[in-house]
């Protein structure tokens, strides 16, 4: 069905990033064709390992923005080389692990600026990964050997990302109230774990509705199964836009 978006729903669309957690290339392309006018961005990770840079180009050619979720972590020069490659590919967002250190993040940031200026491209936003939500305090402290509470580490790594010229972090919308006022206003927050009211939580433990996540200060909501597993994907995406628009 065709939906005529109001101005607020058009603004809401910019908050929605569809996680393309689909393995088949044709199915991915079908989802992009079906939904590009209702979602502002597409997150690609395993699709990249399955189909390579061509899948990123294909989504961009269809009019979608891409968040390339490859979570780089390596020596500074290597991550700068990755950053150059993804900037040339035309992605709008990509990420790296803050635990790779400030030198690594600064090297990536410097290369992104040089390449985008040289080629007259819009620089992608660089996003830091702090503590993965799959890591427990026990694993952080006793396996990885990092002391302290998870939320303190998330905040200190978010600050390190900011100091190293990254644009934002990935975190749970539920954590925003603890960290947002300690970081600059223009910092960018990408939040997964989003579920509209009445939709299955699947394996997500801490979830938030789209409108609550935006109210909490999310900049971009990563939403996967609530859209691509829906019986009517366009309707599911449109209802999410209506929900977000209600708080804009
Ligand atoms: O289907 P669902 O909306 O749960 O998908 C969420 C997406 O966000 C998946 O691609 C998942 O890998 C990603 N993600 C997450 N939790 C994190 C980081 C990323 O669910 N902490």
């Amino acid at each position: 069905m065709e939906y005529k978006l109001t101005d607020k729903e058009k603004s809401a669309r910019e908050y929605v990033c569809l996680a393309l957690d689909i393995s088949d290339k044709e199915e991915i392309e079908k989802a992009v064709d079906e939904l590009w006018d209702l979602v502002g961005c597409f997150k690609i990770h395993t699709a990249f390992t399955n189909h390579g840079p061509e899948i990123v180009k294909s989504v961009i050619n269809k009019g979608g923005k891409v968040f390339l979720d490859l979570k780089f972590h390596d020596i500074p020069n290597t991550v700068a080389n990755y950053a150059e490659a993804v900037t040339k590919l035309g992605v709008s967002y990509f990420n790296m692990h803050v635990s790779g250190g400030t030198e690594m993040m600064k090297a990536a940031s410097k290369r992104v600026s040089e390449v985008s200026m040289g080629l007259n491209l819009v620089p992608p936003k660089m996003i830091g990964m702090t503590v993965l939500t799959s890591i427990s305090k026990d694993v952080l402290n006793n396996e990885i050997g990092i002391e302290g509470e998870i939320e303190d580490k998330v905040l200190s790594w978010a600050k390190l990302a900011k100091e190293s010229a990254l644009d934002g972090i990935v975190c749970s919308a539920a954590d925003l109230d603890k960290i947002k006022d300690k970081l600059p206003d223009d910092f960018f927050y990408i939040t997964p774990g989003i579920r509209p009211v009445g939709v299955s939580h699947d394996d997500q433990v801490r979830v938030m509705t789209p409108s609550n996540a935006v109210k909490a200060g999310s900049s971009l909501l990563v939403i996967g199964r609530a859209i691509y597993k829906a019986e009517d994907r366009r309707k599911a995406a449109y209802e999410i836009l209506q929900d977000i628009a209600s708080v804009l």
Side-chain angles (χ1 to χ4, degrees):
M1 160 155 183
E2 284 306 307
Y3 295 101
K4 183 146 177 41
L5 303 188
T6 63
D7 286 345
K8 281 197 175 172
E9 286 162 0
K10 282 182 195 157
S11 304
R13 174 179 176 263
E14 297 306 311
Y15 282 89
V16 179
C17 178
L18 175 66
L20 282 175
D21 297 332
I22 303 170
S23 45
D24 184 73
K25 187 164 182 276
E26 274 152 32
E27 281 297 316
I28 293 170
E29 288 173 342
K30 188 175 146 222
V32 177
D33 284 336
E34 204 176 342
L35 292 160
W36 68 271
D37 61 326
L38 298 175
V39 307
C41 177
F42 295 88
K43 181 169 87 74
I44 291 181
H45 54 354
T46 44
F48 188 89
T49 39
N50 284 329
H51 309 294
E54 288 311 312
I55 197 73
V56 174
K57 287 185 200 157
S58 159
V59 174
I60 293 173
N61 288 340
K62 287 175 186 297
K65 284 188 195 165
V66 168
F67 168 19
L68 191 56
D69 181 15
L70 296 180
K71 303 186 180 70
F72 300 134
H73 187 165
D74 210 313
I75 59 169
N77 186 56
T78 301
V79 173
N81 289 342
Y82 286 141
E84 175 168 347
V86 300
T87 301
K88 287 179 176 165
L89 201 50
V91 308
S92 299
Y93 311 89
F94 74 95
N95 51 7
M96 67 196 81
H97 282 282
V98 175
S99 55
T102 52
E103 210 193 311
M104 180 200 83
M105 292 186 278
K106 285 179 183 166
S109 164
K110 185 165 170 272
R111 189 73 70 83
V112 166
S113 303
E114 287 165 0
V115 170
S116 13
M117 222 174 308
L119 297 174
N120 205 14
L121 301 168
V122 178
K125 278 197 192 300
M126 286 169 290
I127 305 297
M129 299 305 298
T130 60
V131 185
L132 295 174
T133 46
S134 52
I135 301 288
S136 65
K137 182 173 187 296
D138 180 42
V139 170
L140 186 75
N141 297 163
N142 302 321
E143 243 180 56
I144 308 178
I146 297 173
E147 289 175 8
E149 299 296 324
I150 287 182
E151 62 184 65
D152 294 338
K153 207 69 231 169
V154 170
L155 179 60
S156 69
W157 278 355
K159 286 181 176 166
L160 213 56
K162 176 67 199 175
E163 285 161 28
S164 310
L166 262 54
D167 300 286
I169 56 165
V170 175
C171 65
S172 160
D175 293 334
L176 287 174
D177 63 336
K178 286 177 237 113
I179 59 174
K180 215 174 173 315
D181 61 346
K182 300 181 185 75
L183 288 158
D185 288 344
D186 63 353
F187 211 46
F188 200 86
Y189 302 94
I190 301 188
T191 60
I194 305 295
R195 289 294 181 277
V197 176
V199 171
S200 162
H201 290 188
D202 304 298
D203 53 358
Q204 297 282 13
V205 180
R206 292 192 302 157
V207 301
M208 224 187 243
T209 66
S211 54
N212 283 341
V214 169
K215 272 199 283 184
S218 298
S219 320
L220 188 67
L221 318 182
V222 173
I223 309 179
R225 286 161 288 186
I227 296 177
Y228 72 76
K229 284 251 163 106
E231 210 163 294
D232 183 340
R233 290 172 170 177
R234 288 185 60 78
K235 182 163 171 277
Y238 181 62
E239 284 172 0
I240 287 169
L241 297 189
Q242 286 181 306
D243 182 36
I244 296 171
S246 72
V247 295
L248 294 181

